[in-house]
Amino acid sequence: MMRLKTLPIIIAVLMAVSGCSIGSETGNLTVATLEKPIARTAVVRAASQNFWEAMHHFDFDYVNRQPVGETYRQFAQGLQLVMAGEQASAETLFTTLFESTSDSLIRQNAAEILQSIYNNQDKWGELVDLSARLPHGLDEDNTVFMAKAFTQALPESYHFPDQPVTLATKLSISGVPMVEVKVNGVAKRFWIDTGAEMTVLSSAFAAECGVTPIGTDAARIGTSTDIKISMRPGVIREFRIGGLLIENHPVIILDKKDLEVRLFKIFRLLKIDGIIGWNVLRNLDLTLDYKSLTTTIRPPVRRQSAERNFHFLSQPLVSLTDTLGAPFYFFLDVGANRTTLYEPALQKIDTSRAVSKNALVGGAGGTQHVKTREIPQVALVLGDHRLNFANLSLHGDGKEGFFYFDGVLGSDIAERGTLILDFQNGRCELKMPE
């Protein structure tokens, strides 16, 4: 299902009331540079009772510990190819499994993986064909009609300038970086958000800049809350981000009311005209400098990487460890102002001093009251930096597409520094000023 995790913010006013704080070097988060890297360990997930539970929780070594058939070994191998950035090889393997297996669970899950791979490469025709080969289509919200709409559009193309593009950047009320763009010549400030699967336009701005919806139907889309909202497909003829020109760029159009956050349904805290989504960001070498408030865009240059820590399946995800090397897998959402945890992390961290709290979560379409647990003193390692959180909030089962994640990695980790995102090379890197 297409997702829009945009606006997973804890409303600032209520954060102050509840005693929460946005991460910083002097608040909830301190960042330390490690003298030497921490090696990732092969930790056995004791709770994996069967093959599918193991795969959903990144426990790919399960097939080496338990007797499983060759088809199941191939499925695990396919997931490892996805994590290694070998999308073409993974696509071939999962296509073979989908077409040849008599195991209904293998076929169903292979289709889910293929859907994610096709989405991440804008293979609209393949998505339509895959849905037609399943008894009930790809998903309950019938988002395949979006793919059918985009098959009618001209091919998308990127035109990078000769030199890197550096843009002045502002931060939204929730800490999300914003830069000026031009949509069909009309200038507006857009959010940069890895949590939005596609570039987003509000209905008001789409009308202003001449982006008309394709067709008359709408699909349902998931958000950072349990609320689902309607979306419609469209195509930007000329999308300019500084000197970068993207032609025929697929977007989704949301009602302008669904891109507002209001307090008590009266006071508008913020509104969003547009979002630069994952279908742009995955094609860039992006540097987000939160300290100097600049964003730099370069064309990605393929390099040999020793180990990828930036992956994609349903959502962009980052591999981290704890201070002993045990693996953690976080959904990367620079549209979130705070790093948070999901339930799978409970098996990996000390929860003896956890405290239950209430919070108000804002998302596209509205806000929602949730019960959370606050976990004190959590340390995670990203590359050569140790992230020491005084408290992390925990809410939700962590299921995002096929995987169950340990948490959401928010923009607070780079509040005093720089975040480098280069998906083509599997690189998510944090840099702090000396």
Side-chain angles (χ1 to χ4, degrees), residues 270-313:
L270 58 84
K271 79 177 184 74
I272 301 174
D273 295 300
I275 299 165
I276 303 173
W278 177 248
N279 62 331
V280 171
L281 303 177
R282 71 190 182 203
N283 297 314
L284 310 179
D285 181 341
L286 183 70
T287 300
L288 300 172
D289 190 330
Y290 289 78
K291 185 175 179 62
S292 66
L293 292 179
T294 59
T295 297
T296 302
I297 296 170
R298 299 177 179 85
V301 178
R302 295 304 295 263
R303 304 179 178 90
Q304 288 294 333
S305 177
E307 183 178 358
R308 299 175 68 94
N309 73 338
F310 194 14
H311 327 272
F312 183 89
L313 189 71

Side-chain angles (χ1 to χ4, degrees), residues 137-268:
L138 278 174
D139 60 64
E140 61 184 9
D141 294 319
N142 195 29
T143 55
V144 173
F145 97 89
M146 299 284 288
K148 291 180 180 178
F150 292 137
T151 59
Q152 305 172 33
L154 294 172
E156 183 182 30
S157 59
Y158 280 67
H159 306 278
F160 286 92
D162 294 334
Q163 300 297 322
V165 176
T166 299
L167 303 170
T169 304
K170 291 187 176 181
L171 299 181
S172 74
I173 187 176
S174 60
V176 181
M178 304 182 297
V179 296
E180 185 175 281
V181 303
K182 287 187 178 180
V183 178
N184 295 337
V186 182
K188 194 68 74 172
R189 198 173 296 277
F190 274 25
W191 287 31
I192 297 174
D193 189 357
T194 56
E197 187 172 334
M198 299 187 70
T199 295
V200 175
L201 303 180
S202 76
S203 56
F205 182 59
E208 179 183 349
C209 62
V211 177
T212 57
I214 302 173
T216 58
D217 293 332
R220 304 292 288 172
I221 188 171
T223 71
S224 57
T225 66
D226 292 334
I227 301 168
K228 292 185 179 180
I229 58 179
S230 295
M231 63 176 180
R232 300 175 70 183
V235 174
I236 297 175
R237 186 179 65 257
E238 289 188 0
F239 189 30
R240 294 184 181 271
I241 309 173
L244 169 63
L245 168 63
I246 309 172
E247 295 182 305
N248 305 314
H249 179 54
V251 300
I252 59 176
I253 301 170
L254 304 183
D255 189 289
K256 63 179 182 180
K257 294 180 180 178
D258 289 326
L259 288 173
E260 296 178 349
V261 173
R262 292 180 179 270
L263 185 60
F264 308 125
K265 299 183 179 180
I266 300 173
F267 305 106
R268 190 173 72 185

Side-chain angles (χ1 to χ4, degrees), residues 354-398:
V355 178
S356 297
K357 290 194 173 185
N358 295 317
L360 184 66
V361 177
T367 57
Q368 178 182 6
H369 289 275
V370 298
K371 292 186 179 298
T372 69
R373 298 174 70 182
E374 195 151 286
I375 315 295
Q377 303 302 320
V378 178
L380 297 170
V381 174
L382 174 61
D384 57 359
H385 288 88
R386 172 172 167 157
L387 312 175
N388 300 302
F389 295 93
N391 291 286
L392 282 182
S393 176
L394 184 147
H395 165 69
D397 65 5

